[in-house]
Amino acid sequence: MSDRRKFLKTAALGGAALTLGLSASAENPEVTSSKKKKKPGPVFKGGLVLSTWDAGISANQAAWKAMEGGGKALDMAEKGVNDTEADFRNLSVGLGGLPDREGHTTLDACIMDSNGMAGSVMFLEHIKHPASVARRVMEKTPHVQLVGEGAYRFAIGEGFPHDEYVSDEAQKAWKNWLKESKYQPIINIENHDTIGLLAMDTQGDIAGACTTSGLAYKIRGRVGDSPIIGAGLYVDNEIGAATSTGLGEAVVRTCGSFLVVELMRQGASPQQACEEAVLRIQKRHSNFKDFQVGFLAVNKAGEIGAYAVQPGFTYALYKNGENKLFKSASLIQPK
Ligand code: SD4
């Protein structure tokens, strides 16, 4: 991680803590027990936003603002992740993201609403807000997924502007990477910061969105879990929702977010469900110690869960008038 990047991360976290009077903490009373099975309570109608990594604090605020402006869960999800997409300093989301190995930043995003409808774009270039294009795919086409040039043409046709923005920092990092061209992602540093956001409005309805520039220095054309319904995101408004971050291939292989929601359907708490999904990844990947995957989940009662393969996964929760950053528990214990 470059010094500048380190600084930005620290500054962003410190800044959020400063302005909101918050501190990062592992103790989250909202996380349900991983031991006991208990019936979820009544549907939570206080509004809630749950999102991945440190940038989730700002995304949650944007989602909350959308709700206060009369938006529903879907608007909260879209506006929340738009906030991260617009931050060109983020090296894993939006047009500021680290490029593929040919030097191009390509974007993946999806969105799901409370009626089980879904939209997704993959391998999309030159568009600032892929999650909004995904929403348009959901609302205006008979399809779920659009890819590459077709997705780009659809976006332009829908009035999204072409954006030539190229991040100097991302290009510099790529040129540095080219010197050795060794594909060995660094846990919690590269391929970190994808935003997956789950929103619950004051009707108790749930929606979600996930958006990323994908793995740094990926093969051109590679698509990960983030835009795949059931992998990077799944919402079932009867049960709850889940989202993921980290090595997308491991999540796709295990249908991660769908698995989490189905486990909740069978009676698991959000925390139990996230832990089980991580265990499934461990079981299927002998190299699990070499990568990170994190899951977040929420159920209709507004209970939440968070679990990761490695320590270091953070998430933001806006609930009961507070927007706080937490450290997730993990399969591998911190040293
Ligand atoms: C991917 N899951 O494309 C994404 C990467 C990620 O933070 O989560 N980065 O595999």
Side-chain angles (χ1 to χ4, degrees), residues 44-128:
F44 180 69
K45 295 199 172 168
L48 172 163
V49 194
L50 176 64
S51 61
T52 52
W53 301 112
D54 303 357
I57 286 284
S58 176
N60 284 3
Q61 272 178 320
W64 201 262
K65 206 168 140 202
M67 189 182 80
E68 286 176 336
K72 303 257 181 276
L74 181 65
D75 306 302
M76 294 166 75
E78 181 192 5
K79 296 297 174 216
V81 302
N82 280 170
D83 177 81
T84 321
E85 288 174 338
D87 182 357
F88 291 156
R89 295 167 309 171
N90 188 313
L91 292 173
S92 298
V93 179
L95 292 173
L98 290 166
D100 62 22
R101 58 188 66 177
E102 295 181 28
H104 306 287
T105 298
T106 70
L107 306 177
D108 299 335
C110 74
I111 198 159
M112 262 191 107
D113 76 5
S114 313
N115 303 315
M117 298 307 282
S120 158
V121 289
M122 310 175 195
F123 190 40
L124 176 63
E125 291 174 87
H126 300 300
I127 300 286
K128 186 174 174 185

Side-chain angles (χ1 to χ4, degrees), residues 52-53 90-93 106 108 183 189-196 210-216 218 222-227 232 244-252 292-294:
T52 52
W53 301 112
N90 188 313
L91 292 173
S92 298
V93 179
T106 70
D108 299 335
Y183 191 66
I189 293 179
E190 277 168 13
N191 309 324
H192 164 295
D193 277 351
T194 286
I195 184 111
C210 187
T211 176
T212 188
S213 53
L215 296 188
K218 59 195 173 187
R222 178 265 184 194
V223 169
D225 58 328
S226 305
S244 65
T245 178
L247 185 71
E249 280 73 2
V251 180
V252 170
Q292 174 66 300
V293 167

